[in-house]
């Protein structure tokens, strides 16, 4: 059940959605560790401005096509032009949009942009092992399991493993 989405740059006005999302423990459970410590409007503003003004990484807002509503953001960070690689990330903060295929759709779009526009050869990611929906979306987009970082994440008062996955240009179905 795919929902039509559009990827486009974030603007300063888009920060308002993050005030709600970053303060929702369920929405940030497996997300960027930094989100665990962004607990004021000012801290979120400072982080968000750095994202919007970041020219070294590829950051895009995820918008519903029919309503132009922001539901999250995704992109590729830690880009190495010399090694032709980068690290994929996605955050869908609007929990009403979970389970609708947006993660799979966005992942495929960003991977295509990584290979076609950024001329990357390898795109990797890390994902919390208990985040089954994300692991499924990444596998659907062609990512392969590379390994595991043992007890690399601490959530809900316990440690869990993070999985390392990647996709190579030669494996990618365009």
């Amino acid at each position: 059940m795919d929902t039509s989405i559009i990827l486009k740059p974030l603007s300063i006005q888009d920060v308002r959605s993050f005030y709600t999302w970053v303060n929702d423990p369920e929405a940030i459970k497996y997300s960027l560790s930094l989100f665990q410590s962004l607990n004021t409007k000012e801290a979120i503003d400072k982080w968000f401005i750095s994202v919007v003004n970041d020219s070294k990484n590829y950051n895009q807002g995820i918008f519903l096509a029919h309503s132009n509503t922001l539901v999250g953001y995704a992109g590729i960070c830690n880009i190495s032009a010399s090694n032709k690689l980068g690290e994929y990330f996605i955050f869908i903060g609007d929990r009403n949009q979970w389970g609708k295929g947006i993660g799979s759709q966005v992942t495929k779009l960003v991977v295509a942009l990584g290979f076609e526009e950024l001329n990357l050869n390898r795109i990797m990611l890390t994902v919390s092992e208990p985040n089954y929906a994300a692991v499924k979306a990444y596998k659907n987009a062609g990512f392969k399991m590379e390994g595991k970082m043992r007890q690399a994440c601490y959530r809900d008062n316990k440690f869990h493993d993070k999985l390392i996955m990647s996709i190579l240009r030669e494996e990618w179905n365009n």
Side-chain angles (χ1 to χ4, degrees):
M1 165 168 93
D2 274 354
T3 302
S4 187
I5 56 101
I6 297 170
L7 296 178
K8 61 183 182 180
L10 292 163
S11 68
I12 295 298
Q13 294 75 23
D14 294 324
V15 72
R16 290 188 298 273
S17 298
F18 285 85
Y19 297 151
T20 303
W21 301 338
V22 173
N23 285 294
D24 178 350
E26 192 63 26
I28 65 168
K29 186 174 186 174
Y30 298 121
S31 294
L32 187 65
S33 295
L34 175 67
F35 285 172
Q36 308 296 320
S37 63
L38 293 179
N39 41 23
T40 67
K41 184 179 176 287
E42 292 74 23
I44 294 168
D45 284 344
K46 184 177 178 184
W47 164 79
F48 192 79
I49 288 167
S50 74
V51 168
V52 170
N53 293 326
D54 184 354
S55 60
K56 293 180 187 162
N57 297 308
Y58 179 80
N59 298 304
Q60 294 287 291
I62 304 167
F63 294 84
L64 298 179
H66 69 278
S67 63
N68 200 35
T69 303
L70 179 68
V71 298
Y73 87 119
I76 301 175
C77 62
N78 301 323
I79 296 170
S80 169
S82 58
N83 292 314
K84 296 187 179 286
L85 58 83
E87 184 173 352
Y88 175 71
F89 68 89
I90 184 172
F91 172 67
I92 300 175
D94 183 345
R95 289 201 283 145
N96 294 322
Q97 301 305 319
W98 289 7
K100 296 184 177 182
I102 293 173
S104 293
Q105 191 180 356
V106 169
T107 301
K108 289 173 184 174
L109 285 171
V110 173
V111 166
L113 289 166
F115 291 135
E116 293 175 348
E117 292 183 23
L118 302 176
N119 196 30
L120 300 178
N121 181 61
R122 178 179 188 272
I123 300 171
M124 62 88 60
L125 61 85
T126 60
V127 58
S128 296
E129 192 169 37
N131 193 350
Y132 308 113
V135 173
K136 182 180 175 185
Y138 303 145
K139 285 181 178 176
N140 286 343
F143 280 83
K144 308 252 185 291
M145 199 67 63
E146 278 192 355
K148 183 183 289 195
M149 296 186 292
R150 299 177 307 143
Q151 297 187 4
C153 192
Y154 187 75
R155 298 288 191 282
D156 295 333
N157 297 312
K158 61 182 177 266
F159 289 98
H160 64 257
D161 298 341
K162 290 200 87 162
L163 305 176
I164 304 165
M165 300 176 78
S166 71
I167 185 170
L168 303 177
R169 178 188 291 274
E170 64 196 30
E171 300 166 334
W172 171 63
N173 284 334
N174 50 6

